[in-house]
Amino acid sequence: MSRSPLQRTRFSALERRLGQLFLGQLRNSWRHASLALLSLLVGYFLSQNLIAVVIYQLPGGRPAMVLSMVLAVEVLVRLRSRLLRTETVPLAWLMLDNLRIGATYAAVLEAFKLGT
């Protein structure tokens, strides 16, 4: 018994795109994967240090620091959505996104540690 072909639904298209996304990450070279991971960790490290050092020196303290980080992240997201319209993401944009994700994770983790 043979299976009938699957219908082309939005869900099947989503499954196909997600499969290509995950398998595409496995097909990339080690240079691509290591630079992506390093940019994630560097974003976390820089943001953690920036928050610890600048939070006391910046007028306005913590709210001003968080506001500036949120504005920077929003600008990066808006730029990427306007400039990049392709399915494949170039390495530079991937590294920039990972820096942003690492910085956001560090800010959220710091907020949980401080209880705010």
Side-chain angles (χ1 to χ4, degrees):
M1 249 171 120
S2 65
R3 294 178 69 184
S4 61
L6 296 176
Q7 294 179 353
R8 299 194 129 212
T9 62
R10 287 183 293 192
F11 183 70
S12 68
L14 175 69
E15 279 183 326
R16 187 173 53 254
R17 277 186 284 159
L18 285 176
Q20 289 171 351
L21 178 70
F22 289 128
L23 290 178
Q25 292 298 325
L26 292 176
R27 289 185 198 142
N28 288 333
S29 66
W30 64 270
R31 177 181 163 267
H32 190 273
S34 63
L35 285 175
L37 181 63
L38 277 174
S39 63
L40 183 71
L41 295 174
V42 166
Y44 175 78
F45 178 75
L46 289 178
S47 178
Q48 191 78 351
N49 289 327
L50 187 71
I51 289 171
V53 171
V54 177
I55 203 166
Y56 299 110
Q57 298 175 354
L58 192 68
R62 189 179 313 144
M65 181 66 193
V66 171
L67 179 64
S68 63
M69 282 187 66
V70 167
L71 287 175
V73 165
E74 185 67 25
V75 166
L76 285 175
V77 169
R78 299 282 176 163
L79 276 175
R80 182 178 187 260
S81 64
R82 286 187 187 261
L83 296 176
L84 193 65
R85 301 248 184 227
T86 62
E87 292 276 333
T88 58
V89 179
L91 182 60
W93 278 109
L94 180 69
M95 289 176 63
L96 194 62
D97 279 344
N98 284 350
L99 280 170
R100 177 182 55 87
I101 291 168
T104 304
Y105 179 72
V108 169
L109 189 65
E110 188 70 24
F112 276 119
K113 286 194 299 189
L114 295 175
T116 58

